[in-house]
Amino acid sequence: MENETFNLDILQLEGLKVSPEASIPAFVLLLLIYIFIMVSNIGLVILIFMESSLHEPMYLLFCNMSINDAFGATTIIPSVLGYIFTPIAQRYIHYYECVIQAFCAHFHVAISHTVLTIMAFDRYVAICNPLRYATIMTKRMVVSLSVGAWGTAFFLVAILVSLSVCLSRCRRAVHNPFCDNASLFKLSCENVLINHVYGLGTGVAIMCGSLSSVTLSYLRIAMVCLSSKNKALNSKALQTCATHLAVYILLLFSGNIIIILHRFPNLSDHRKVASVLIHVVPPSVNAIIYGLQIKALRERIVIVLTGKK
């Protein structure tokens, strides 16, 4: 046995594997992307709250996504940036910091699904029940949907991470660019079957729940549009729904690519990079998709940037 006693509260984090010659370009690129994510998403939230013409349920619900995107990027990118120039053997993180990061990482992904689900409900009501839209989508309903989306994600992820925290630890190496729930329970030598079952069950429930809700909403919307002869209505519905659908497909693709790469152990390095990208690509693209595709938002952005009214 080795005489050295390891402090299990100090973990060794693998971080993002970057060659020395690629360290500076990777750092600059990630930093620029992070700045863009924060400026674009927080800027859109401020714009929506300051412009009374944008105080509509669709835009207020979109604020949930922008806030979550800024939150998710802040959870991962600064940590990855901080370790790029540090040798792998010297990358350390406190256990409590690892727990917090794991919770926030899963919380971000869970909220992405729940928020897109309530946004699909909003589009369903707006297009399928336009005459009742104002009475259904009141400010109270918007707040209730938002609280429900964040509360559901918080509850499910809190249980997920708590199950891992309750385990005893016998290891201190985190073989990932950042801490997640799998990193936490892999530190234990106990039986982690319940962690696998609950984690898989929760993931399937969140993904299937959002997928079924979005699919049913858009099937109903498609039926209404096909039966309607109002070209203006159909055009508006297509614009807003295509935007929402593009964001949802991007989220599904980003999440599923990690699941697929898990099946190929020889591609573990690619999976680790992909796990970072899910917290980078959607947050950086969502603001562009909504800001450029939705006419009302695009017009207000142009007015703000040019100073013309």
Side-chain angles (χ1 to χ4, degrees):
M1 293 179 61
E2 295 181 358
N3 292 327
E4 181 180 3
T5 301
F6 291 113
N7 184 353
L8 294 179
D9 286 331
I10 305 296
L11 308 178
Q12 186 167 15
L13 182 67
E14 182 179 282
L16 191 65
K17 291 182 179 179
V18 182
S19 61
E21 59 272 14
S23 296
I24 295 178
F27 181 87
V28 173
L29 179 61
L30 269 178
L31 179 60
L32 291 176
I33 292 175
Y34 178 63
I35 293 172
F36 174 77
I37 290 172
M38 299 305 291
V39 171
S40 59
N41 283 285
I42 294 177
L44 278 176
V45 172
I46 293 173
L47 176 64
I48 290 171
F49 275 95
M50 290 184 63
E51 294 291 337
S52 57
S53 61
L54 298 177
H55 289 181
E56 298 179 13
M58 181 176 71
Y59 304 122
L60 295 176
L61 291 176
F62 171 69
C63 287
N64 287 287
M65 183 186 296
S66 289
I67 293 171
N68 182 48
D69 284 342
F71 167 75
T74 301
T75 297
I76 302 300
I77 298 179
S79 173
V80 173
L81 287 173
Y83 290 116
I84 282 183
F85 297 111
T86 305
I88 294 179
Q90 299 177 19
R91 295 175 179 176
Y92 298 106
I93 184 172
H94 284 276
Y95 178 71
Y96 74 88
E97 293 176 332
C98 191
V99 171
I100 294 172
Q101 187 177 55
F103 174 84
C104 292
H106 288 281
F107 191 39
H108 165 242
V109 176
I111 293 173
S112 297
H113 281 278
T114 55
V115 166
L116 284 169
T117 300
I118 63 175
M119 290 177 70
F121 172 75
D122 170 73
R123 291 300 83 206
Y124 166 77
V125 176
I127 296 170
C128 299
N129 295 284
L131 298 180
R132 298 181 57 203
Y133 182 72
T135 57
I136 295 176
M137 295 303 296
T138 60
K139 289 184 178 180
R140 183 174 181 177
M141 175 62 79
V142 171
V143 172
S144 298
L145 288 173
S146 300
V147 171
W150 288 76
T152 300
F154 182 90
F155 177 74
L156 294 174
V157 175
I159 296 176
L160 178 74
V161 176
S162 296
L163 289 173
S164 297
V165 172
C166 290
L167 297 170
S168 60
R169 283 171 279 139
C170 62
R171 304 183 184 95
R172 60 194 297 269
V174 176
H175 301 289
N176 211 42
F178 59 90
C179 292
D180 57 9
N181 185 59
S183 302
L184 293 178
F185 67 66
K186 286 179 181 178
L187 297 174
S188 177
C189 294
E190 294 183 34
N191 187 334
V192 294
L193 177 62
I194 188 172
N195 300 78
H196 282 290
V197 172
Y198 181 82
L200 181 61
T202 302
V204 170
I206 292 175
M207 185 173 293
C208 290
S210 67
L211 183 60
S212 59
S213 298
V214 171
T215 301
L216 291 174
S217 297
Y218 278 96
L219 284 176
R220 186 71 181 98
I221 289 171
M223 291 173 61
V224 170
C225 291
L226 290 174
S227 62
S228 174
K229 296 181 180 180
N230 189 331
K231 293 184 178 181
L233 173 64
N234 291 344
S235 177
K236 184 178 180 180
L238 179 63
Q239 182 187 39
T240 56
C241 292
T243 301
H244 177 268
L245 202 56
V247 171
Y248 186 71
I249 291 173
L250 178 63
L251 175 66
L252 284 182
F253 177 80
S254 302
N256 286 327
I257 194 68
I258 299 175
I259 297 174
I260 294 171
L261 289 175
H262 262 292
R263 303 289 180 251
F264 301 94
N266 58 315
L267 298 178
S268 61
D269 288 340
H270 295 78
R271 176 186 57 79
K272 292 171 184 177
V273 173
S275 68
V276 174
L277 293 181
I278 194 175
H279 299 279
V280 175
V281 176
S284 60
V285 175
N286 290 347
I288 297 175
I289 294 176
Y290 271 90
L292 296 181
Q293 286 295 108
I294 299 179
K295 184 179 179 182
L297 270 179
R298 185 173 65 248
E299 290 176 347
R300 298 313 303 177
I301 292 172
V302 171
I303 291 173
V304 170
L305 292 178
T306 61
K308 298 179 180 179
K309 295 186 178 181

